[in-house]
Every structure is written in structure tokens, then in C-alpha cells.
Amino acid sequence: MQTRSIATQIDIDAEPAAVWRVLCDWAAYPAWNPFIVGLHGRQQIGARLVVSIHPPGRPRLTFRPRLEVLQTADELAWLGRALLPGLLDGRHSFRLEALENGGTRLHHGETFSGFLLPLFGQALLADARKGFELMNQALKRRAETLASASVA
């Protein structure tokens, strides 16, 4: 089965625990996140989430993935499906890597698979990548701002 992936990363001048707090404060997403404009649900493996995204140049889209991974200050991932498993699946993930300087490297990506994948063009993936990168920049700003405010 064919797959397509988006992989992005950004270095953040804040410790992983601080980045994790921002990443898991889903209620605050509308205030700072330009890509995932809504995220609701229990932070529990297997929970059904409600995720609203707004890729640049595309209409807002809401879907209901299932939370797959929730490892404190390390990894968060969910799996979304269109109708039936194997038609169009997307595994969205965030992984935090502690850096030697006390900062954090955010790995943010998604892997798409399924029989309907060939119907989705490169433009859709390119717009999604732009959304990921915009979110990464906004997360960096928010985490660094909150981390510097807690030091002051």
C-alpha cells in the first residue's frame, strides 16, 4: 500500500516539559495555533478526539481521530480514518527530543496511507506541510515566551 509522509522539525529554546505543557494545553490552541485551531477530547489512550485544522489556502476541516500515543514530555500521536480502515488513514505525531543545551527539538509529522491516497495531490500535502511549519513556529514562540516568563 502506498504511503506519503510529512516530516518537520524545529528547535525550541525551552525544556521538553515546558514544550509538553503547551502541546497538551488543548483548550488554549485557538489562542495561538494557526493550524490546529481546535482540539478536544480526553487525554487518554483510545479516546476519540475532535480535531479542527485550517491548512493555509484550504477550508477548515474537522475530523475524529483516536488517540494512540500519549507519553508525557515525549510523544503524542493520533490516528484518523476516512470511513473505513485502509481507505485513507493519517497518523499525526509529535515527538519531543531533549537537546544537550536544555532545549527541545520538536518532530512533527504525519504519515498517510490507504487506497484513496492517490486521489490526493501533492498540493494538498504541500499545504499541510505549510500548516505544520506555521504551527511549529507558533509553538516555539509560545513555549519560549512562557519559559522566559517563568524564569523572570
Side-chain angles (χ1 to χ4, degrees):
M1 186 177 304
Q2 183 180 10
T3 64
R4 292 188 190 160
S5 294
I6 299 169
T8 66
Q9 68 181 34
I10 193 167
D11 289 352
I12 302 171
D13 190 21
E15 63 182 22
V19 177
W20 184 256
R21 282 191 296 277
V22 173
L23 194 58
C24 288
D25 184 5
W26 297 348
Y29 273 33
W32 66 267
N33 195 326
F35 179 65
I36 300 177
V37 295
L39 178 53
H40 308 281
R42 289 188 333 264
Q43 292 186 1
Q44 178 181 348
I45 301 298
R48 181 72 72 185
L49 306 177
V50 177
V51 180
S52 295
I53 63 170
H54 192 191
R58 302 267 178 187
R60 184 176 171 149
L61 173 67
T62 298
F63 56 100
R64 298 179 52 84
R66 196 165 297 280
L67 188 61
E68 275 196 333
V69 179
L70 183 65
Q71 294 178 7
T72 303
D74 187 35
E75 187 176 6
L76 169 67
W78 59 71
L79 178 63
R81 294 194 154 126
L83 301 175
L84 300 171
L87 284 182
L88 182 63
D89 300 339
R91 185 176 190 276
H92 198 109
S93 63
F94 304 91
R95 187 174 56 83
L96 304 182
E97 175 188 351
L99 300 176
E100 289 183 16
N101 67 0
T104 305
R105 179 166 295 142
L106 169 70
H107 299 270
H108 178 191
E110 185 151 4
T111 300
F112 299 94
S113 62
F115 293 108
L116 297 179
L117 186 60
L119 301 177
F120 291 85
Q122 292 295 355
L124 180 65
L125 292 176
D127 289 343
R129 175 181 292 281
K130 288 178 198 168
F132 285 28
E133 291 169 349
L134 288 170
M135 178 183 170
N136 295 354
Q137 289 290 335
L139 176 61
K140 174 182 175 70
R141 281 190 303 274
R142 185 164 180 90
E144 289 175 353
T145 298
L146 293 174
S148 67
S150 69
V151 172

